[in-house]
Amino acid sequence: MVAEHNLKPADFIAPVFVMEGETKKVEIPSMPDYYRYTLDLLLEEVQELYNVGIRAVNIYAKVPDEKKDNQGTEALNPEGLMQQTIKSIKEELPEMVVMPDIALDPYSSYGHDGIVEDGEILNDESVDLLAKMAVSHAEAGADMVAPSDMMDGRIGAMREALDEAGFKHTGIMAYSAKYASAYYGPFRDALDSAPGFGDKKSYQMDPANVNEAIREAQLDEQEGADIVMVKPGLPYMDVIRAVKENVSVPVSVYNVSGEYAMIKAAAEKGWLNEEEVMLETLIGFKRAGADLISTYFAKQASKLLSR
Ligand code: PBG
């Protein structure tokens, strides 16, 4: 009666990993109980997510090395794995909100989120390409695109490109305050997408900053973002609050792979109670000001909440 916040399955966005092939699922070594699926099995998994009350999935595709280059050629392939996955989910389950990831790293021979030249990431060239990628995903049927690349000006460019291509109703969830974080390690294992040289500090944010997060989120809102995101979650609770108080669009948080791995590992050792720590963490995000939570715990938490 006196609880100020609550959790429900519709608060969650479930990240899902898809790979080429048939009838296979592979557990991600640094993410216990979390799998990469071939499309046929992913469709069953997405149906299961829907059945427990989840209404949005964030899709990531694993791209084989021979399809990677520096121009994101495969990212724009209308028959590419990502485009096929979007199409299939919307055909099978039109009620599920489909949010494909937009960034070059899974497609990049350098493992970077943009185009590389002489050891630098080219902002404006990357933005043009990412905007084309957004249109390609919209053509496949995406409800919202989710740019995680952190190039400057990409939200405005995507909004314009989507509108011009006739996708005025396709939304944008912007990874606005995305920090250069070591918590992304297990995710990079899942997609085999670790940067080949250097790090992502020239485009992702400095963990020391909070005013910059507000500035990034406000810019994205002005450029047309429908949801702004803070990422990672746990070490950035104050950033969620600060962003929430300074934008008027919904705020999401990404409870990232490393945060998932920490809880799973401690629970495996018998050092923490997995279910209780998971729910305490998730309600913490709501209390900090998040409207939506992207989390690898989405299914497990939803099942628990409806028990
Ligand atoms: C890359 C991307 C990353 C994540 C989502 N999109 C990793 C990175 O920036 O290197 C991380 C998600 C997670 O750790 O759960 N565009």
Side-chain angles (χ1 to χ4, degrees):
M1 192 171 72
V2 295
E4 296 172 29
H5 298 280
N6 60 72
L7 285 169
K8 55 187 187 306
D11 293 333
F12 303 133
I13 300 168
V16 296
F17 298 117
V18 64
M19 63 181 175
E20 292 188 350
E22 274 170 43
T23 60
K24 270 205 210 92
K25 65 179 216 182
V26 177
E27 191 176 27
I28 298 149
S30 45
M31 298 178 71
D33 305 323
Y34 221 79
Y35 296 83
R36 235 188 298 124
Y37 298 89
T38 54
L39 180 50
D40 49 352
L41 296 190
L42 181 71
L43 291 173
E44 291 172 18
E45 173 66 13
V46 172
Q47 179 70 56
E48 237 187 88
L49 294 171
Y50 190 83
N51 293 346
V52 298
I54 293 162
R55 292 295 177 262
V57 287
N58 191 188
I59 310 169
Y60 294 95
K62 181 170 191 303
V63 182
D65 279 347
E66 62 275 15
K67 292 189 180 164
K68 296 184 183 184
D69 61 22
N70 189 29
Q71 309 301 326
T73 310
E74 181 60 17
L76 302 181
N77 178 0
E79 303 301 322
L81 178 60
M82 176 63 100
Q83 286 81 352
Q84 282 178 24
T85 304
I86 299 167
K87 246 179 258 172
S88 305
I89 297 176
K90 290 310 292 185
E91 267 165 30
E92 298 261 321
L93 246 183
E95 294 300 305
M96 186 62 105
V97 174
V98 170
M99 304 175 158
D101 179 62
I102 308 265
L104 275 195
D105 52 326
Y107 301 93
S108 159
S109 37
Y110 294 106
H112 274 288
D113 293 34
I115 298 169
V116 175
E117 196 179 279
D118 298 331
E120 305 227 341
I121 290 71
L122 303 179
N123 190 85
D124 297 1
E125 289 78 355
S126 301
V127 166
D128 288 344
L129 185 63
L130 294 162
K132 289 192 184 118
M133 206 171 156
V135 172
S136 171
H137 291 176
E139 281 167 350
D143 300 284
M144 279 200 140
V145 292
S148 68
D149 56 282
M150 285 300 277
M151 300 302 131
D152 290 332
R154 91 272 207 218
I155 302 303
M158 271 174 211
R159 185 68 271 156
E160 202 181 325
L162 287 168
D163 288 353
E164 270 173 21
F167 296 106
K168 294 192 194 307
H169 298 295
T170 307
I172 303 177
M173 177 171 76
Y175 289 59
S176 300
K178 177 172 174 181
Y179 288 86
S181 172
Y183 283 88
Y184 306 151
F187 173 96
R188 293 175 186 170
D189 292 342
L191 291 190
D192 183 24
S193 63
F197 69 88
D199 52 41
K200 298 192 173 185
K201 291 180 182 170
S202 70
Y203 45 106
Q204 298 181 349
M205 285 180 44
D206 182 344
N209 291 359
V210 62
N211 289 330
E212 186 185 5
I214 296 172
R215 205 154 63 229
E216 292 273 13
Q218 287 178 335
L219 278 170
D220 285 353
E221 182 179 30
Q222 286 158 22
E223 289 178 30
D226 301 283
I227 299 173
V228 295
M229 183 191 274
V230 174
K231 172 183 179 181
L234 271 182
Y236 300 94
M237 289 290 198
D238 59 319
V239 180
I240 301 171
R241 169 58 48 199
V243 167
K244 179 67 185 169
E245 286 174 359
N246 286 283
V247 298
S248 60
V249 289
V251 175
S252 62
V253 59
Y254 202 138
N255 175 217
V256 302
S257 56
E259 299 170 54
Y260 174 84
M262 291 195 303
I263 293 179
K264 284 285 181 182
E268 246 173 41
K269 278 184 163 282
W271 290 350
L272 285 179
N273 179 318
E274 178 172 336
E275 291 186 344
E276 288 182 11
V277 170
M278 168 183 75
L279 290 179
E280 183 177 338
T281 303
L282 296 171
I283 197 74
F285 294 133
K286 295 292 289 286
R287 192 191 63 246
D291 300 289
L292 295 162
I293 306 167
S294 197
T295 177
Y296 302 98
F297 287 117
K299 186 165 78 173
Q300 197 183 343
S302 296
K303 281 186 181 165
L304 204 60
L305 291 169
S306 53
R307 237 186 9 227

